[in-house]
Amino acid sequence: MIQMYHVFKHYPPNIHALADVTLFVEKGEFVFLTGHSGAGKSTLLRLITRAEIPSAGQILVAGRNVLALNPSKIPFFRRQIGVVFQDIKLIARKTIFENIAFILSVMGVPFQEQKKRVYQILKLVGLHHRMNALPHQLSGGEQQRVAIARALINHPPLLIADEPTGNLDEEMAWDVMTLFDKLNMKGTTVVMATHNRQIVEMMKKRIIHIEKGRVVEDSGARREPA
Amino acid sequence: MIPLRYFVREGLHIVGSNRKISFLATGVIALALFFLGFFFLITNNLQTVEEAWRRQQKMVVYLHDGAEGDRELLEKVLASRGFVRRFAHQSAEEAYRRFQADFPSLGEVLDATRDNPFSASYELELDPGHEEEARAFQAQLEKTAGVAEVQYDTAWLQKLNSFVFFLRWFGIALGVLLGTGAIIIVTNVVRIATLVHRDEIEILWLVGAPPQYIRGPFLLQGILLGLGGGALSILLLAGIYHFFVLQVRSNFQVLWNFLALSFLPIPTLLLLMAGGIFCGLAGSLLFKFEEQAD
Ligand SMILES: Nc1ncnc2c1ncn2[C@@H]1O[C@H](COP(=O)(O)OP(=O)(O)OP(=O)(O)O)[C@@H](O)[C@H]1O
Ligand SMILES: [Mg+2]
């Protein structure tokens, strides 16, 4: 699903966020990305979704060369990936419903169908009663769950989640992990960056550990994609 | 599929979210269209006047005092020309009375002099389109016995014609110049709007919104500004026109009867609206959108 070959990312003036990262994630895998703050987890995830471009190296996602993507294909490419952003990124002046339904309306889903599907996905994260609220009327944890719902609305084959449990209490965090696990069992590839040791230990999934932009440990590394 | 409803809603939001700037852009577009329309208004009406005068061209033949004896021969000459539709004699006394009726206040001034300054005359109505022949006829009449002077002036009609032509092109040039300025301003207004909404735009890119979803609302913003500018310019023109009409009608009755003023016709108004939309859309299109996320 994801193949990275000798990927570097520099930021001016001389920040080396990622250095020589090579890794492969199979279709259907569940991968935790761990590392200290500033290690480069978010940067790596942003490269996968082509939110940013690497300074060097090659990245393939779902068989497509991310760098060679025709700009007109990028929106479609991004809609194939569900992304939970570390900083949530909800549109402040739009309701929870509108924030999530937007992606469906882009895809031409009729309004009635949008309503049904948004309701269902919000029910999954326990927020179906807040459809018409604005993001600022929700707690941090609730906003995070909306962001998760938005990432899932489209049934994407790949889920990229950057610290999705950061604002959630323990119980809620486990609910989300259970949800991700279920999705994973149904075939969704999950890549999740987190600081939460307990979750990482309990879930017993593959762990990629990053330090100062380098992969220093990979519990399920393979040399080449199968 | 073009999500028009979405564009309109978002476009309205963008226009409404920075009212001062939206008003500025609308005002500049309106100004450009106002000048364009203003010159069209003036030239249209001047043209109506010109056409009316061309249709009722007159030649006036003034007689010497005491030229009664020459009238018979003169009338034969007048009747001999096909393009003279009809002619009528007016005695000096009639001319005097007519002047008094037209300008009662000035009549008193004349009264004081007691001497009738008017001459007897023939007024000739001519068919339009015979200006060359009419000028030759004028020269002939001036040599005819009993004739003091022949008034036949087409040079000023020619002048009016070129003046109207000049005014029209001047108005168009001014409109184009100001329109270009308006387009540049709209471009910058759109730039500001994208800056104000850059967080939203970034989110839209990141969740995979197609470019038209991101671009569309800002094109709508341009169109709305243009529509506003067009409407505002028409309101301004209508206001000024009606004020002018009111002034003329109440203060210069004679002039009013004679002018037969009219406002801009619907096609011209539609053209102004289209001009507004053009300025807004062109201004928005000129702003180069780049994906902010890269
Ligand atoms: N846009 C940027 N410009 C400059 N430096 C950046 C930028 N984005 C990230 N960095 C730097 O790159 C490094 C990696 O950042 P990144 O956000 O990937 O860390 P992280 O592992 O996600 O940290 P956290 O756990 O705190 O989220 C950091 O040193 C950060 O300061
Ligand atoms: Mg991060």
Side-chain angles (χ1 to χ4, degrees):
Chain A
M1 183 57 102
I2 302 168
Q3 295 148 251
M4 291 186 138
Y5 299 93
H6 306 291
V7 170
F8 291 77
K9 180 67 185 176
H10 313 300
Y11 290 110
N14 56 355
I15 298 166
H16 301 285
L18 289 178
D20 201 13
V21 172
T22 297
L23 60 82
F24 310 104
V25 175
E26 296 301 321
K27 202 161 181 288
E29 265 196 288
F30 194 130
V31 180
F32 282 117
L33 209 53
T34 61
H36 291 295
S37 179
K41 303 182 294 294
S42 298
T43 304
L44 195 148
L45 296 182
R46 282 200 297 270
L47 293 180
I48 294 171
T49 58
R50 207 195 177 282
E52 287 189 82
I53 291 174
S55 313
Q58 288 298 326
I59 303 172
L60 273 73
V61 176
R64 257 172 301 205
N65 183 340
V66 170
L67 285 176
L69 268 184
N70 185 329
S72 67
K73 298 270 164 57
I74 292 173
F76 177 78
F77 169 76
R78 287 194 181 137
R79 292 202 298 275
Q80 305 304 304
I81 307 174
V83 185
V84 183
F85 303 96
Q86 187 168 17
D87 57 351
I88 296 172
K89 292 197 192 295
L90 296 175
I91 295 178
R93 68 183 167 87
K94 303 217 164 185
T95 64
I96 302 313
F97 172 78
E98 288 168 332
N99 265 285
I100 299 173
F102 178 78
I103 292 157
L104 295 177
S105 79
V106 163
M107 302 192 316
V109 175
F111 187 68
Q112 285 307 322
E113 177 73 16
Q114 289 176 28
K115 279 214 292 213
K116 233 189 300 177
R117 281 167 64 174
V118 171
Y119 181 87
Q120 284 164 353
I121 206 84
L122 279 173
K123 193 151 187 206
L124 221 52
V125 295
L127 284 172
H128 49 288
H129 56 294
R130 305 303 300 275
M131 283 232 289
N132 297 316
L134 290 168
H136 73 87
Q137 294 166 330
L138 301 186
S139 75
E142 287 170 333
Q143 289 180 28
Q144 192 145 41
R145 277 140 66 203
V146 173
I148 292 167
R150 180 180 60 188
L152 300 178
I153 187 68
N154 198 12
H155 305 302
L158 173 60
L159 176 63
I160 301 284
D162 195 348
E163 205 70 62
T165 58
N167 292 305
L168 304 180
D169 60 38
E170 210 173 314
E171 197 179 338
M172 199 59 90
W174 277 111
D175 284 350
V176 168
M177 289 326 296
T178 311
L179 175 61
F180 281 15
D181 204 27
K182 271 191 205 155
L183 290 168
N184 179 240
M185 282 194 294
K186 280 187 189 162
T188 306
T189 309
V190 180
V191 179
M192 170 173 158
T194 183
H195 283 141
N196 192 323
R197 265 167 211 270
Q198 203 192 354
I199 284 179
V200 174
E201 277 164 21
M202 301 275 286
M203 294 284 290
K204 304 218 180 334
K205 304 285 186 188
R206 177 179 168 194
I207 301 164
I208 297 175
H209 189 71
I210 304 181
E211 261 173 41
K212 293 188 180 136
R214 289 177 186 275
V215 176
V216 293
E217 199 191 313
D218 188 340
S219 66
R222 281 186 206 115
R223 292 194 154 255
E224 286 290 326
Chain B
M1 186 196 68
I2 299 169
L4 206 58
R5 251 170 62 109
Y6 172 77
F7 288 173
V8 171
R9 205 179 48 211
E10 296 296 297
L12 280 170
H13 161 78
I14 294 168
V15 169
S17 64
N18 205 336
R19 278 167 214 215
K20 267 186 213 150
I21 282 180
S22 295
F23 197 75
L24 170 84
T26 308
V28 176
I29 295 172
L31 199 71
L33 296 171
F34 171 78
F35 277 110
L36 195 65
F38 186 68
F39 280 93
F40 268 105
L41 188 57
I42 291 178
T43 53
N44 277 3
N45 279 294
L46 282 180
Q47 209 162 34
T48 315
V49 168
E50 188 199 322
E51 273 159 21
W53 281 342
R54 255 187 216 288
R55 244 180 284 116
Q56 41 171 298
Q57 280 198 58
K58 282 199 171 123
M59 190 183 284
V60 184
V61 182
Y62 290 101
L63 305 180
H64 285 300
D65 288 343
E68 289 296 308
D70 300 316
R71 277 183 57 190
E72 198 179 334
L73 182 68
L74 186 60
E75 287 185 11
K76 265 189 198 138
V77 174
L78 295 181
S80 70
R81 294 305 173 101
F83 58 83
V84 178
R85 207 184 292 157
R86 65 173 79 88
F87 57 88
H89 180 255
Q90 188 179 49
S91 70
E93 288 73 34
E94 279 164 347
Y96 180 44
R97 276 201 297 279
R98 196 153 105 178
F99 180 82
Q100 269 187 324
D102 283 350
F103 303 97
S105 48
L106 286 179
E108 284 166 25
V109 179
L110 279 178
D111 238 5
T113 69
R114 303 198 111 239
D115 201 11
N116 182 0
F118 295 96
S119 317
S121 62
Y122 280 97
E123 239 181 57
L124 283 57
E125 266 179 49
L126 308 182
D127 284 334
H130 295 274
E131 272 125 54
E132 280 306 307
E133 292 157 272
R135 258 192 290 280
F137 188 44
Q138 174 187 18
Q140 184 199 337
L141 284 174
E142 271 165 352
K143 289 185 211 114
T144 309
V147 174
E149 194 192 337
V150 182
Q151 251 181 29
Y152 176 66
D153 203 355
T154 52
W156 68 273
L157 264 180
Q158 221 49 53
K159 269 185 208 151
L160 180 63
N161 192 283
S162 21
F163 181 61
V164 167
F165 182 81
F166 164 77
L167 267 191
R168 181 154 292 173
W169 282 102
F170 181 77
I172 289 172
L174 195 65
V176 167
L177 201 73
L178 290 172
T180 308
I183 288 172
I184 292 169
I185 285 177
V186 171
T187 302
N188 284 292
V189 167
V190 170
R191 187 193 314 281
I192 291 168
T194 58
L195 285 177
V196 169
H197 293 89
R198 65 179 174 279
D199 291 349
E200 287 182 18
I201 293 173
E202 196 209 341
I203 294 173
L204 293 180
W205 280 122
L206 287 176
V207 300
Q212 66 264 29
Y213 271 80
I214 292 162
R215 187 82 210 235
F218 294 96
L219 294 181
L220 236 293
Q221 177 196 18
I223 291 175
L224 288 170
L225 294 175
L227 280 174
L232 191 63
S233 73
I234 290 172
L235 275 179
L236 264 173
L237 287 167
I240 286 185
Y241 173 75
H242 284 289
F243 178 76
F244 182 73
V245 162
L246 222 66
Q247 290 299 311
V248 171
R249 196 158 26 185
S250 55
N251 297 332
F252 308 96
Q253 186 64 44
V254 183
L255 195 61
W256 167 248
N257 293 336
F258 159 84
L259 277 178
L261 293 171
S262 65
F263 192 56
L264 292 169
I266 302 279
T268 310
L269 297 181
L270 290 178
L271 204 74
L272 289 179
M273 292 303 287
I277 293 174
F278 174 79
C279 285
L281 201 56
S284 185
L285 280 170
L286 277 180
F287 173 68
K288 213 172 146 351
F289 246 90
E290 269 155 28
E291 180 164 353
Q292 329 259 315
D294 276 356

